[in-house]
């Protein structure tokens, strides 16, 4: 079955890889991105070039077609722009949505809260409205491991109550899950939220740890190591994330098994709504992660040990058993292989740049 999939955030890290995967398996993809300046837009434009979309074609609200993939088109658009988003749905015949567009970054949310309200709340509301009015068969959307906050039950399970976020970014992702449930329950829109755990890999964002560490170690600059290095992260390679996304896309929920376990009313149990963790289920000490980068670069880092930042969590650890049970898949890429692949891309990309 060939799907016509809208991928929002298509010029972003995960959105770029997801679009590639869908195109390679034969789906038709409409990519959408605002190409904002949260980080260097040139990296976003270079990702689009890999998809056959060139910078001169990135005029706002103009849908252009790929020179590389016959089934890929792209439009530069903000999710907050409901009028033009609705027109896109009218014209494109979209039947599935993967919503990866969002304002990212825990620390950025401390200083720019209004951006998160616009993109992550209002923008997501518009996506839900499109799914409702255009009879979308399945909406898959990015949530985050940050919703777990300071939860102490390890590993983090999707059955855990996540009512105490420690950053506005986390609160916006929790809000997305609640908004999705409402549309699934009232309007029968099948929705699946995916709580990503510390994604890394080639074409990653410059504000991510692996990118920052690599750049600074190579330049001989000190790296900031928060919580004095006492951090553990469930680093998850981007190809594993994308595999999870595409498998989930193909299997829209028909009921809510979590509500069933918690003995909710039958109409809640029969809501087509689900949330999964996608994580490696193997948290790595931050110092070990840095050592892996040092070993592969052949250069030691100068470490600036610092207290934990507001909004940060010291441990992330995914229980991905539901994903494995329902989709027959769980992330498996090792840190060594993942870092190797990232560094190969980094050296090639910046040599060319």
């Amino acid at each position: 079955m060939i799907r016509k999939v809208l991928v929002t955030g298509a010029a972003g890290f995960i959105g770029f890889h997801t679009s590639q995967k869908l195109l390679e398996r034969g789906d038709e993809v409409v990519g959408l991105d605002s190409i904002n300046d949260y980080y260097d837009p040139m990296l976003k434009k270079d990702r689009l070039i890999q998809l056959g979309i060139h910078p001169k074609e990135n005029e706002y609200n103009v849908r252009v077609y790929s020179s590389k993939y016959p089934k890929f088109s792209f439009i530069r658009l903000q999710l907050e722009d409901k009028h033009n988003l609705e027109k896109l749905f009218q014209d494109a015949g979209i039947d599935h949505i993967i919503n990866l567009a969002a304002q990212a970054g825990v620390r950025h949310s401390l200083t720019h809260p209004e951006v998160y309200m616009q993109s992550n709340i209002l923008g997501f509301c518009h996506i839900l409205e499109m799914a409702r009015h255009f009879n979308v068969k399945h909406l898959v959307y990015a949530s985050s491991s940050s919703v777990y906050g300071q939860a102490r039950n390890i590993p983090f399970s999707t059955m855990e109550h996540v009512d105490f976020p420690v950053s506005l970014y986390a609160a916006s992702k929790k809000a997305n899950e609640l908004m999705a449930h409402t549309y699934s329950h009232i309007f029968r829109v099948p929705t699946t939220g995916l709580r990503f755990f510390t994604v890394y890999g080639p074409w990653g964002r410059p504000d991510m740890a692996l990118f920052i560490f690599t750049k600074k170690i190579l330049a001989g600059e000190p790296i900031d190591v928060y919580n004095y290095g006492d951090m553990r992260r469930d680093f998850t390679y981007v190809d594993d994330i994308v595999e999870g996304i595409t498998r989930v896309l193909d299997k829209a929920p028909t009921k809510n098994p979590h509500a069933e376990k918690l003995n909710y009313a039958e109409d809640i149990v029969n809501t087509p709504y689900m949330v999964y963790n996608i994580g490696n289920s193997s948290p790595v000490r931050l110092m070990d992660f840095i050592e892996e980068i040092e070993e592969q670069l052949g250069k030691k880092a100068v470490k600036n040990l610092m207290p934990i930042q507001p909004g940060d969590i010291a441990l992330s650890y995914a229980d991905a058993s539901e994903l494995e049970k329902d989709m027959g898949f769980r992330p498996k890429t090792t840190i060594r292989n993942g870092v190797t692949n990232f560094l190969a891309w980094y050296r090639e990309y910046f040599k060319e740049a």
Side-chain angles (χ1 to χ4, degrees):
M1 173 184 174
I2 297 175
R3 292 159 181 77
K4 193 155 193 176
V5 188
L6 174 68
V7 177
T8 73
F13 173 34
I14 301 174
F16 157 68
H17 285 283
T18 300
S19 297
Q20 248 185 353
K21 173 82 171 181
L22 292 171
L23 290 165
E24 288 167 359
R25 76 175 196 173
D27 289 324
E28 189 168 345
V29 177
V30 180
L32 178 152
D33 203 292
S34 67
I35 317 183
N36 65 29
D37 60 358
Y38 171 62
Y39 59 86
D40 186 359
M42 187 52 65
L43 179 57
K44 302 175 185 182
K45 293 175 181 179
D46 285 342
R47 293 183 188 122
L48 287 175
I49 289 172
Q50 301 299 307
L51 296 171
I53 303 293
H54 298 276
K56 60 182 172 51
E57 301 171 320
N58 287 332
E59 185 178 344
Y60 188 80
N61 195 33
V62 175
R63 190 173 167 203
V64 296
Y65 292 82
S66 170
S67 60
K68 182 176 180 180
Y69 294 100
K71 292 183 178 181
F72 183 64
S73 61
F74 175 79
I75 186 166
R76 184 173 185 175
L77 197 63
Q78 292 181 307
L79 296 186
E80 300 95 302
D81 185 349
K82 187 178 181 182
H83 173 75
N84 284 314
L85 187 62
E86 189 170 31
K87 190 174 184 302
L88 174 65
F89 272 79
Q90 289 169 346
D91 295 344
I94 291 156
D95 53 39
H96 288 71
I97 302 172
I98 299 175
N99 185 58
L100 302 171
Q103 179 57 58
V106 167
R107 292 165 196 152
H108 193 65
S109 72
L110 302 177
T111 54
H112 297 78
E114 67 285 347
V115 178
Y116 290 76
M117 293 299 100
Q118 286 294 311
S119 179
N120 298 11
I121 304 298
L122 180 60
F124 188 65
C125 178
H126 291 166
I127 284 292
L128 288 167
E129 280 287 282
M130 297 306 109
R132 168 194 174 189
H133 290 293
F134 290 92
N135 299 313
V136 166
K137 296 176 183 177
H138 193 189
L139 163 60
V140 177
Y141 62 94
S143 186
S144 169
S145 60
S146 66
V147 300
Y148 290 107
Q150 304 288 5
R152 295 193 177 190
N153 293 327
I154 302 299
F156 297 153
S157 165
T158 51
M159 293 298 294
E160 180 85 30
H161 290 291
V162 287
D163 299 327
F164 304 103
V166 296
S167 71
L168 188 63
Y169 171 69
S172 74
K173 289 301 185 179
K174 168 65 173 174
N176 287 171
E177 295 178 6
L178 295 173
M179 295 161 69
H181 183 270
T182 302
Y183 274 71
S184 293
H185 179 60
I186 299 174
F187 305 117
R188 313 306 298 172
V189 177
T191 67
T192 302
L194 301 176
R195 294 174 178 172
F196 299 148
F197 281 70
T198 317
V199 190
Y200 73 103
W203 294 99
R205 295 200 324 257
D207 63 330
M208 291 176 160
L210 178 54
F211 203 115
I212 293 169
F213 291 163
T214 298
K215 181 179 180 180
K216 291 196 170 185
I217 292 170
L218 287 173
E221 298 174 1
I223 61 173
D224 293 336
V225 181
Y226 293 106
N227 206 30
Y228 308 102
D230 187 18
M231 307 273 275
R232 286 187 291 161
R233 286 286 182 268
D234 209 346
F235 293 100
T236 311
Y237 189 63
V238 65
D239 287 359
D240 290 330
I241 292 287
V242 171
E243 182 66 25
I245 292 171
T246 54
R247 291 198 186 205
V248 166
L249 182 71
D250 296 341
K251 193 174 181 180
T254 57
K255 59 189 285 189
N256 182 351
H258 295 164
E260 188 171 31
K261 290 176 184 176
L262 294 169
N263 200 30
Y264 272 72
E266 186 175 349
D267 64 331
I268 299 295
V269 171
N270 290 327
T271 295
Y273 170 87
M274 188 61 183
V275 172
Y276 291 104
N277 289 332
I278 301 188
N280 223 38
S281 301
S282 181
V284 174
R285 289 177 64 251
L286 182 58
M287 289 301 197
D288 292 340
F289 187 65
I290 293 169
E291 284 177 13
E292 182 64 45
I293 302 167
E294 290 173 325
E295 181 180 331
Q296 294 203 33
L297 290 177
K299 191 172 183 180
K300 282 289 184 182
V302 179
K303 302 177 185 72
N304 181 23
L305 300 180
M306 300 178 67
I308 195 166
Q309 292 276 284
D312 260 354
I313 58 176
L315 169 66
S316 70
Y317 185 177
D319 176 354
S321 58
E322 286 182 317
L323 184 74
E324 183 174 24
K325 175 173 67 72
D326 293 350
M327 305 298 157
F329 167 77
R330 70 184 301 151
K332 57 184 182 298
T333 304
T334 65
I335 288 294
R336 170 149 294 188
N337 289 342
V339 170
T340 297
N341 294 343
F342 171 81
L343 293 179
W345 166 79
Y346 186 94
R347 288 181 169 115
E348 183 65 24
Y349 178 77
F350 284 101
K351 179 185 72 176
E352 291 181 0

